[in-house]
Amino acid sequence: AMISYNIITGDTLTKVFQRIPGVGVDNVLTDRHFIILLTTIIFTLPISLYRDIAKLGKVSLLSLVLTIVILVVVMVRAVTFSPQVPKSENAWIFAKPNAVQAIGVMSFAFICHHNSFLIYGSLEEPTLKNWSQVTHMSVALALIISVAFAASGYMTFTGYTEGDIFENYCRDDNLATFGRFCYGVTVILTFPLECFVTREVIANVFFHGNLSTVFHVVVTVVIIAVATGVSLVYDCLGIVLELNGVLSATPLVFIIPSACYLRLSKERWNHSDNLISCLILVLGVLVMAVGFVMTVLHPQECSHGREMFYCSPSNVSLHNSTLPP
């Protein structure tokens, strides 16, 4: 997750800085490597050094507000920009062979299992009733936002949709540039949540749950350095999201909870709850195995920061002339 957030930051903010007068393509602010390092040192590392995840409450609220703003931008552009983008062939077929990877990506969008213990412990009144309210409201809101994003984005770009939707908008689109800025800030503010979880796991496995101040800083820096190093080398968000989905989200969402339930259940093997858990477990294993093979054999193509063809009026006209009536 941290790798994908860094890739998004590098892709997104470089296009924002390109819109600043006097900042050309050779300027250091348009170098994704520099932007990733700059945002890591100035923002994500200092925020990640907090010990108490409750201190990220206001940060998370700001991130949520910006997410709503970004959604409004994408929905507006679905109406105003969609007519300028030619529709891809067979754009409205319900599912294609790479739908399995899509299940993994969607699972990654909803994954929250890994930070459940930290969030539960941060509640003022950590009761099951309060926890149930928080989880149901959060997942319901995530569902609404995700569906709205997916529908608006795909209606605008159909088969040309990139893993990072803001890669699809033209660089001279001022509203999209504002959306990119909000998106970049949101991602930067979300990064520390994942770092907290990774550090907590390392602390529990190797340090019996307690980190001294020195080890707290060292472990945090090492985690962020590894994630940043990979994101500096690799820049294709789509493949990172697909691998995250099939290798990380699918086990955490489908496989491990179902296996734990079956292991701890005292009901007969043919009880309805056990059968449902078995079905989820089998589907999770299939999605994980098939999704990984499909991702390796048929990786998603990436724009790598290039301008999309429909941003040039001449290219759009030429493309439209070749489309069947």
Side-chain angles (χ1 to χ4, degrees):
M2 289 185 283
I3 293 168
S4 65
Y5 293 155
N6 274 338
I7 293 174
I8 292 172
T9 301
D11 289 343
T12 304
L13 293 184
T14 50
K15 292 182 174 61
V16 173
F17 291 132
Q18 285 178 11
R19 297 293 294 160
I20 298 176
V23 176
V25 293
D26 296 329
N27 194 289
V28 70
L29 292 177
T30 63
D31 186 326
R32 64 179 298 273
H33 300 90
F34 175 77
I35 294 301
I36 291 173
L37 287 173
L38 182 68
T39 55
T40 297
I41 294 171
I42 296 179
F43 298 106
T44 55
L45 179 57
I47 298 175
S48 297
L49 285 172
Y50 281 120
R51 280 184 174 269
D52 186 3
I53 197 170
K55 293 184 178 294
L56 299 183
K58 295 180 180 179
V59 171
S60 297
L61 177 61
L62 176 59
S63 178
L64 176 61
V65 172
L66 291 176
T67 300
I68 303 299
V69 173
I70 299 164
L71 177 58
V72 172
V73 170
V74 173
M75 294 176 69
V76 169
R77 275 292 175 256
V79 177
T80 58
F81 189 52
S82 178
Q84 303 178 38
V85 182
K87 306 307 175 188
S88 61
E89 185 179 359
N90 299 323
W92 300 106
I93 291 178
F94 176 70
K96 297 181 181 180
N98 59 354
V100 178
Q101 295 112 288
I103 294 175
V105 175
M106 288 187 287
S107 300
F108 178 67
F110 286 93
I111 189 171
C112 52
H113 305 60
H114 56 302
N115 55 25
S116 295
F117 293 105
L118 288 172
I119 302 299
Y120 180 81
S122 71
L123 296 177
E124 290 185 2
E125 297 183 16
T127 63
L128 289 178
K129 180 181 178 181
N130 289 342
W131 178 245
S132 178
Q133 291 177 346
V134 168
T135 53
H136 282 79
M137 290 177 61
S138 300
V139 173
L141 182 61
L143 173 62
I144 294 170
I145 293 175
S146 297
V147 170
F149 262 120
S152 301
Y154 190 79
M155 284 191 297
T156 307
F157 305 109
T158 60
Y160 304 113
T161 307
E162 293 288 332
D164 179 355
I165 193 173
F166 278 105
E167 286 286 280
N168 283 103
Y169 294 103
C170 303
R171 296 182 183 179
D172 59 356
D173 188 332
N174 291 326
L175 182 60
T177 299
F178 174 69
R180 287 188 181 105
F181 174 75
C182 295
Y183 189 31
V185 174
T186 299
V187 168
I188 290 171
L189 298 180
T190 306
F191 184 104
L193 285 172
E194 308 301 336
C195 184
F196 266 72
V197 177
T198 309
R199 185 177 62 220
E200 183 76 6
V201 172
I202 293 174
N204 287 328
V205 173
F206 299 105
F207 299 95
H208 306 290
N210 295 313
L211 287 175
S212 64
T213 302
V214 174
F215 276 104
H216 173 84
V217 173
V218 171
V219 171
T220 303
V221 171
V222 170
I223 292 170
I224 292 180
V226 171
T228 302
V230 176
S231 58
L232 289 173
V233 173
Y234 201 70
D235 64 348
C236 187
L237 179 64
I239 297 176
V240 172
L241 290 178
E242 290 176 0
L243 289 176
N244 274 346
V246 297
L247 296 180
S248 187
T250 301
L252 280 172
V253 173
F254 300 113
I255 299 175
I256 296 176
S258 300
C260 290
Y261 182 86
L262 291 171
R263 178 67 180 84
L264 299 173
S265 176
K266 299 185 184 300
E267 303 290 347
R268 291 172 56 86
W269 69 270
N270 58 351
H271 189 273
S272 60
D273 289 343
N274 287 345
L275 293 176
I276 292 174
S277 295
C278 284
L279 177 61
I280 295 174
L281 177 62
V282 171
L283 289 176
V285 172
L286 288 175
V287 169
M288 181 178 177
V290 176
F292 177 72
V293 173
M294 292 290 291
T295 300
V296 173
L297 296 180
H298 305 285
Q300 185 184 95
E301 294 184 1
C302 298
S303 68
H304 295 291
R306 69 174 182 268
E307 189 84 316
M308 301 301 286
F309 71 90
Y310 46 74
C311 292
S312 171
S314 59
N315 286 341
V316 172
S317 301
L318 178 62
H319 188 85
N320 286 334
S321 67
T322 61
L323 290 175

